[in-house]
């Protein structure tokens, strides 16, 4: 049998199924207020301290910067005096035990994150789930699963993968992961990819379909889990595993190397980043730079807005990590249902169509000014490398208004004799149909534009990108979406500015989409870090003339399915061994 889900990484994993279950529920949360409050508060404090100790040790022992950074983030979160106070208050005021208070308090922070419409940020919620679960396990005296004690090649099956499991030092017997929930951009997924453990997430009913002890084959690139294997399938799997291992070594040679298409056209691949814990790994894999830095991450998990000094410090540190590359900081993309308590975001009936992205920044000038002054001041330290990009614009007037705000920020820095890059490049995201159809006007106003296919698909097709009920209607291969993308790329070409049209939505890393995008004339691709080297390699195998012919054919297709199957057969011919 073959089951499908969302593949994480590229590898194959052959092993036996082991189900992991986590006990978190506490049957009786009530405590006796007269005698137990202090004891429970003490127990919560001990759990915090013990976990801080664990993460410190794991961070120090790790040879991977990302793991060390992630551990630092956990230590910082767990050390928050405000958080610890909230847990103590919850125990005292609600008369509940430590495990329940920890679950409730961290759970409410988790819910805030999970409600965000940005899948990348929403998936940070699973980090908080994991912390709450581990703290509760401590106070309840429950054992945590130990993956270093697996007895043979094992594929774990779990409801949702806690990132902490991926921090274990010895994962030599873990050959695959299957989950029922979770997405491509969760920390757990990023860590699994970093540790090269093939995973397939979001396999519905994984717990029932896969039996304890049965042999399964995970194919992360295809996003499949296969059961009932015969000798032939097993031998083929081993052979493909060896081939893939050789290729992943071969990919390393693309690090930091400029690329061209097979017929010599210069191309650029940059990385998307949102989380500070990632920056060192992004800089290692993609020293060319960051094509989308989702700065909203700097505003989450806090009680008040970040200061100018903090934003400047973070931006400077990121720029320092890319001494040869550029960094595109997208200004705050909150609003709608990304509810950050101190940012004055009112409840709205249709939050995706509400005060999102640039609309929020234009409505709250003080928050916008703080960030613009910080970005400008950071740009002064390294001329020409920082760029700014406005999210979710729908009219050129919004860019003009945002540029006016930027001019005011410049003037205020002039008054204080603070240096900044006077030629700072400014761009707009093309992620609404309105922006796509008026792209020529945006190009007049901006140094560059970047196509955000995640939102462009959602807004063009009127399909909520986070709503599973209508997920089948959401496709960046829909002919309507493709026509908008074609128009945006053409506008760049017609004005002799192809290099100023970038793409930073997930489509830019889709192996099936690459021949089409190259054929349409896209030259700059910004993709999640795990896909940077693969994207470079695939683009370097393609011929722009052949791809242009393919693109013309694709543009005559009437449905997303027809587009996909045409692109599938094209990819089979162009780089079959890489994708299939
Ligand atoms: C997009 O919409 O394509 C995009 C890159 O931005 P985000 O996913 O952060 O909305
Ligand atoms: Mg977007």
């Amino acid at each position: 049998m073959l089951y499908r889900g969302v593949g994480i990484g590229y590898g194959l994993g052959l092993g036996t199924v082991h189900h992991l279950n986590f006990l978190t529920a506490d049957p009786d949360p009530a405590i006796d207020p007269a005698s137990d409050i202090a004891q429970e508060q003490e127990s919560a404090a001990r759990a915090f301290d013990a976990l801080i100790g664990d993460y410190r040790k794991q961070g120090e022992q790790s040879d991977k910067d990302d793991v060390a950074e992630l551990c630092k983030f956990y230590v910082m979160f767990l050390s928050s005096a405000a958080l610890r106070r909230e847990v103590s208050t919850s125990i005292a005021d609600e008369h509940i035990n430590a495990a329940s208070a920890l679950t409730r308090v961290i759970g409410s922070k988790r819910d805030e994150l999970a409600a965000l419409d940005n899948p990348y940020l929403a998936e940070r919620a699973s980090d908080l789930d994991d912390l709450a679960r581990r703290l509760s396990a401590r106070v309840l005296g429950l054992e945590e699963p130990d993956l270093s004690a697996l007895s043979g090649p094992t594929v774990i099956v779990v409801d949702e993968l806690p990132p902490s499991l991926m921090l274990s030092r010895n994962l030599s017997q873990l050959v695959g992961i299957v989950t029922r929930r979770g997405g491509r951009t969760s920390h757990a997924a990023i860590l699994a990819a970093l540790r090269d453990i093939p995973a397939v997430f979001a396999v519905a009913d994984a717990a029932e379909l896969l039996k304890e002890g049965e042999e399964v084959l995970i194919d992360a690139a295809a996003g499949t889990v296969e059961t009932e294997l015969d000798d032939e399938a097993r031998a083929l799997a081993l052979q493909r595993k060896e081939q893939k291992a050789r290729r992943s070594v071969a990919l390393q040679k693309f690090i930091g190397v400029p690329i061209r298409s097979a017929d010599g056209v210069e191309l650029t691949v940059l990385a998307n980043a949102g989380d500070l814990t990632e920056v060192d790994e992004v800089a290692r894999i993609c020293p060319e730079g960051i094509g989308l830095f989702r700065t909203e991450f700097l505003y989450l998990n806090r009680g008040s807005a970040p200061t100018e000094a903090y934003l400047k410090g973070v931006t400077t540190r990121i720029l320092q990590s890319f001494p040869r590359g550029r960094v595109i900081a997208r200004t705050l993309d909150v609003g709608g249902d990304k509810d950050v308590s101190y940012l004055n975001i009112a409840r709205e009936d249709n939050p995706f169509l509400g005060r999102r992205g640039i609309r929020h920044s234009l409505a709250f000038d003080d928050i916008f000014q703080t960030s613009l002054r910080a970005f400008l001041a950071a740009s002064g330290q390294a001329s020409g490398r920082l760029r700014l990009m406005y999210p979710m614009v729908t009219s050129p007037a919004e860019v003009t208004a945002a540029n006016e705000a930027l001019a005011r920020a410049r003037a205020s820095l002039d008054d204080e004799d603070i240096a900044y890059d006077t030629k700072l490049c400014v761009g707009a995201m093309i992620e609404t149909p309105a922006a796509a159809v008026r792209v020529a006007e945006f190009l007049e106003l901006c140094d560059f534009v970047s196509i955000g296919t995640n939102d462009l698909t959602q807004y063009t097709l009127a399909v909520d990108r986070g709503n599973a009920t209508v997920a089948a209607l959401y496709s960046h291969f829909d002919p309507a979406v493709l026509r908008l993308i074609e128009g945006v790329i053409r506008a760049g070409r017609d004005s002799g500015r192809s290099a100023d049209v970038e793409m930073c939505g997930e489509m830019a890393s889709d192996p099936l989409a690459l021949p089409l995008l190259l054929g349409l004339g896209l030259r700059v691709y910004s993709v999640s870090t795990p896909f940077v080297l693969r994207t470079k390699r695939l683009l370097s195998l393609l011929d722009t003339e052949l791809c242009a012919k393919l693109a013309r054919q694709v543009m005559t297709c009437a449905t997303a399915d027809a587009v996909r199957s045409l692109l599938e057969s094209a990819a089979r011919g162009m780089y079959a061994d890489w994708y299939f």
Side-chain angles (χ1 to χ4, degrees), residues 408-471:
R408 274 188 285 119
R410 281 193 170 116
S412 69
L413 292 184
D414 285 340
D415 288 347
E416 295 167 39
D417 275 335
I418 298 173
Y420 57 86
D421 179 4
T422 50
K423 299 204 171 68
L424 182 87
C425 287
V426 175
M429 286 200 67
I430 304 295
E431 53 183 349
T432 63
V437 297
R438 298 182 72 179
V439 64
E441 293 162 78
F442 283 98
L443 275 168
E444 296 263 301
L445 284 173
C446 295
D447 298 295
F448 68 97
V449 294
S450 187
I451 309 172
T453 52
N454 308 339
D455 276 314
L456 186 61
T457 305
Q458 139 165 292
Y459 289 126
T460 305
L461 303 177
V463 175
D464 177 342
R465 67 195 248 187
N467 182 343
T469 320
V470 287

Side-chain angles (χ1 to χ4, degrees), residues 188-201:
I190 290 164
L191 290 172
L194 271 177
R195 300 200 66 171
D196 223 8
I197 300 170
V200 181
F201 281 20

